Amino acid sequence: MCGIAGIIYKDKKTHNVGKSLTSMLESLQHRGPDSAGFAIYGGLNLPKNHYQLNIEVKNKPEILEKLKTTLKEESPIYKEKLIKSDEDYDVYRCEIKLNEYSKLKPLIRYLDEIEDIQVINGSHSFEMIKDIGKVKTIAKRYDVPKRIGTHGIGHTRFATESGIDRYHAHPYQSYITPDITVVHNGQITNYWKIRDPLERKGHVFESLNDTECIVHYIADKLHQGYKLEEALEDAVKDLDGPFSLLVGTPNGIGIAKDKLGLRPGVMAENDDIFAIASEEMSLQDVLDTDYVEQIAPGETRSYTI
């Protein structure tokens, strides 16, 4: 099934987006027990050309030392902080500096080639948090309710394809256009028809998850100069299968639903907040309103700040 949620604060100021998304996703926990994740925009405030990496490292001193040596060689600065530890793996949050954004994905690919290391994500204007397990557990582990921002999207996953691990948790990200993320409930049945042209254009796929296909599709459109609303309209035309999806960008949130309306989605707003989720009870966690809209079949919408 999967559950999706998004929230945006209209005053463009930072708020407890992490707390709001945690509440929304906890109400959707029954839709996905396998993993959960958040993309929180507007609160990271990194300097220009600085990026945050979340890196999963095998719990061996020599592997961590290899990671640190590699990052120090590649980046003029390197800072790291352990954010989670379990029996087999540690996750490190690292801040690096690169001369230009185009070097980020090659660096990630290079790190991924090191045995027992996998980069979960890299970002400049948003904070990615995702892991295996229940929403409440993950939120506590990463202090999600303390994460501030202007807007964000979240997901709780019921895995129907691809692995259950940190990397395959949603949101998914593309590096063609900076800081574009997607969460998705549904299936893209013409996956290979969409993926093949994107790979020929240079998009690198790391999984068989159809959500990754969506985020590359949207990022490619934005890279070509499409507005978000235009990219979403084309997505409804080109993507087959049942889906409701949310796109996170540094400037807002986009929404799209398949032409037949086979996956749920509702939205509501007041003077302060616009919110969207798979089910109405999730909206009630963050705003008090009697007017809830159903996302219509084939509808797209973008909300920017």
Side-chain angles (χ1 to χ4, degrees):
M1 291 188 296
C2 298
I4 61 175
I7 189 168
I8 188 165
Y9 286 85
K10 297 180 180 181
D11 64 4
K12 303 181 182 181
K13 298 178 181 178
T14 56
H15 298 267
N16 287 111
V17 171
K19 182 178 180 180
S20 297
L21 283 175
T22 297
S23 296
M24 295 176 77
L25 291 180
E26 282 194 72
S27 293
L28 299 173
Q29 182 66 84
H30 58 283
R31 300 188 64 87
D34 296 324
S35 61
F38 309 78
I40 299 173
Y41 290 84
L44 198 52
N45 294 323
L46 290 178
K48 184 178 179 180
N49 294 332
H50 286 229
Y51 303 94
Q52 187 180 90
L53 300 180
N54 290 325
I55 307 175
E56 183 181 81
V57 184
K58 186 74 172 180
N59 194 0
K60 296 179 180 178
E62 64 272 22
I63 302 300
L64 177 59
E65 191 57 37
K66 174 67 173 177
L67 171 65
K68 290 182 176 181
T69 300
T70 302
L71 286 177
K72 288 175 181 176
E73 290 173 351
E74 297 293 328
S75 173
I77 70 154
Y78 163 70
K79 302 176 183 178
E80 56 86 9
K81 178 184 178 184
L82 179 68
I83 57 173
K84 192 265 174 184
S85 180
D86 61 27
E87 185 176 345
D88 297 315
Y89 287 91
D90 295 330
V91 176
Y92 284 83
R93 175 157 291 171
C94 307
E95 180 184 336
I96 63 169
K97 180 181 179 182
L98 301 174
N99 293 332
E100 55 189 50
Y101 178 75
S102 63
K103 294 184 178 181
L104 180 59
K105 183 57 179 178
L107 172 60
I108 290 173
R109 195 176 300 127
Y110 178 60
L111 293 173
D112 283 340
E113 290 175 354
I114 301 174
E115 187 176 2
D116 295 325
I117 290 176
Q118 181 169 32
V119 180
I120 299 171
N121 92 293
S123 59
H124 173 74
S125 63
F126 76 93
E127 190 167 15
M128 178 83 83
I129 298 166
K130 58 181 184 176
D131 209 335
I132 303 167
K134 302 292 182 66
V135 173
K136 186 174 183 179
T137 302
I138 295 167
K140 182 178 179 181
R141 182 180 296 155
Y142 293 90
D143 290 328
V144 176
K146 296 180 181 178
R147 309 293 181 181
I148 63 169
T150 53
H151 59 289
I153 60 176
H155 185 270
T156 183
R157 185 180 183 215
F158 182 89
T160 53
E161 90 299 309
S162 73
I164 301 174
D165 56 31
R166 290 189 183 97
Y167 184 82
H168 289 91
H170 299 199
Y172 264 83
Q173 178 181 6
S174 174
Y175 296 93
I176 297 297
T177 302
D179 293 350
I180 304 299
T181 59
V182 166
V183 295
H184 159 235
N185 171 29
Q187 292 82 39
I188 304 304
T189 55
N190 62 339
Y191 171 88
W192 287 107
K193 183 179 179 181
I194 300 298
R195 173 171 169 165
D196 284 347
L198 291 170
E199 285 191 299
R200 288 196 294 271
K201 294 176 74 171
H203 290 258
V204 177
F205 283 73
E206 308 287 352
S207 74
L208 295 174
N209 191 297
D210 51 2
T211 307
E212 184 184 12
C213 193
I214 298 170
V215 75
H216 281 303
Y217 176 94
I218 296 294
D220 184 73
K221 291 287 186 181
L222 297 177
H223 186 67
Q224 294 179 59
Y226 284 66
K227 295 181 180 179
L228 179 58
E229 184 72 31
E230 294 171 333
L232 293 167
E233 290 171 355
D234 278 3
V236 170
K237 296 174 187 175
D238 292 341
L239 302 178
D240 290 339
F243 62 83
S244 291
L245 64 91
L246 300 180
V247 179
T249 79
N251 299 316
I253 294 174
I255 304 159
K257 192 171 186 176
D258 70 85
K259 295 183 286 289
L260 297 178
L262 298 175
R263 286 294 181 268
V266 291
M267 51 193 172
E269 61 182 309
N270 58 22
D271 292 339
D272 303 315
I273 292 171
F274 173 81
I276 181 168
S278 298
E279 299 179 19
E280 182 177 347
M281 70 175 108
S282 182
L283 300 180
Q284 300 295 340
D285 291 327
V286 292
L287 54 82
D288 183 14
T289 180
D290 294 326
Y291 183 64
V292 175
E293 293 183 74
Q294 295 284 337
I295 305 173
E299 182 175 0
T300 63
R301 187 179 296 197
S302 61
Y303 205 117
T304 59
I305 57 172

